[in-house]
Amino acid sequence: MAENQNVEWKELWKDEYLKWICGFANAQGGKIYIGKKDDGTVIGLQDSKKLLEDIPNKVRDVLGIIVDVNLLTEDGKDYIEIRVNSNSYPVNYKGEYHYRSGSTKQQLKGQALNQFLLQKTGITWDSVPIQGVTIEDLRNDSFDIFREQAVRSKRIDKKDIDASNEQLLDSLNLLENNHLKRAAILLFHHNPEKWIPGAYIKIGYFESDSELRYQDEIHGSLISQADKVVDLIFTKYLKADISYQGVTRVETYPFPKEAIREAVFNAIAHKFYGALIPIQISVYADRIYIANDCIFPEDWTINDLMGKHRSRPYNPLIANTFFRAGFIEAWGRGIEKIKDSCKEAGNPMPEYTIKREEIMVMFKNLVSNTDQATNQANQDDNNSVIVRILQVIEAEPRLSQKKIANVIGEKYSTVKYYMESMKKSGVIKREGSSQKGKWIIL
């Protein structure tokens, strides 16, 4: 048996190994064997019986926990096994907090220590009370936005909507002993960066990775940021294709608005604000990146995140308030909604880059031109769905998508997907109404 997450070998006992016991207790628990070399060979102990008494007492006196210490024998040589259980409460060694990660011991400091202590004590980051801020310091505009959105979402009782700001905060569990929690300040204070730097959004338009053309920063409460950011992206940073259905002007954006909205709102709600880094949105002609710091549940894998999963938000109070306002869902369906929106619009599926405490989603636009579409059709040897659709349009341009599907023997959903893609790519367009209009090959 090799050293691993739960096993450590030591040739002899040193009191500093209490740090290793502390690390096991703060993690998943484990075993320390005294009297073994690094390759697992038993070399024995001269003072094994004395250690049987000394080690449990030192662990109790220094760490405040109880461990099992067992005397084992192999080939006539004594060695000791120390069994350490995972502790539900933080364990410290003379004021230091150690943690077993993989086959190494780490001393927790700074933000990692804060995060560890919060998890062990069952307190979430956004539920910590903040001293020196009152309800009167919060501005009514953020409450007005929340109430307006909550009325539309119908996810909060009318009596709570009509109540005072203090009563509303209490109903959202944002108060503790009349003190505002971090979530309340982030959600409703006009300048939350006074207490939590980096609580804002940066947007930039890039001609290339090294050439920033223009940028904006969105500050203020998270409620007001959510109210502004998506409109800013679609009015300033993206250009819509203009078409007409009869006399009705139709604007088609290169990215589905619902998908972008869902991604941005989820970034705001689930961001790890303790990292003190703003959400960053990078817009290019053919793609958009949305990146934010976050902390996933320890037992999650990438497959858990990308598949169907329970909602386990890092900021449950912020997430609940965003849910009540109708900004996000509460069932862990955000990524599925984003995928569905992209599919319905005919855009490629979003691509996710996931690191330990960071997530970035990239949306792609169908920017291929007519020549690219034609080349692809030729490569498909005139048997592709695209070629058959173009052949039908050329012969009978007034047919509906459903009738085109019948003619070429494909599902309506398949034909709709390809035709929406061809419209975005500039291969075809619809002129006139859905009933009396016609298709035109560009």
Side-chain angles (χ1 to χ4, degrees), residues 417-431:
Y417 172 82
Y418 278 105
M419 292 186 73
E420 290 298 322
S421 299
M422 292 159 70
K423 284 166 62 178
K424 288 180 176 293
S425 304
V427 177
I428 62 174
K429 74 173 183 177
R430 181 73 178 180
E431 188 176 87

Side-chain angles (χ1 to χ4, degrees), residues 111 125-126 182-183 186-187 192-193 195-201 220-223 225 264-279 292-295 314-315 318-319 322:
Q111 191 57 56
W125 185 90
D126 64 346
R182 273 184 181 146
L186 281 165
L187 287 161
E193 294 168 64
W195 295 271
I196 304 114
Y200 65 97
I201 302 173
S221 70
L222 300 190
I223 293 293
Q225 289 181 35
V264 171
F265 285 1
N266 273 279
I268 298 173
H270 302 308
K271 176 190 167 184
F272 174 41
Y273 287 91
L276 311 181
I277 299 173
I279 294 170
N292 67 286
D293 293 86
C294 60
I295 294 181
Y314 178 74
N315 302 312
I318 296 174
F322 264 51

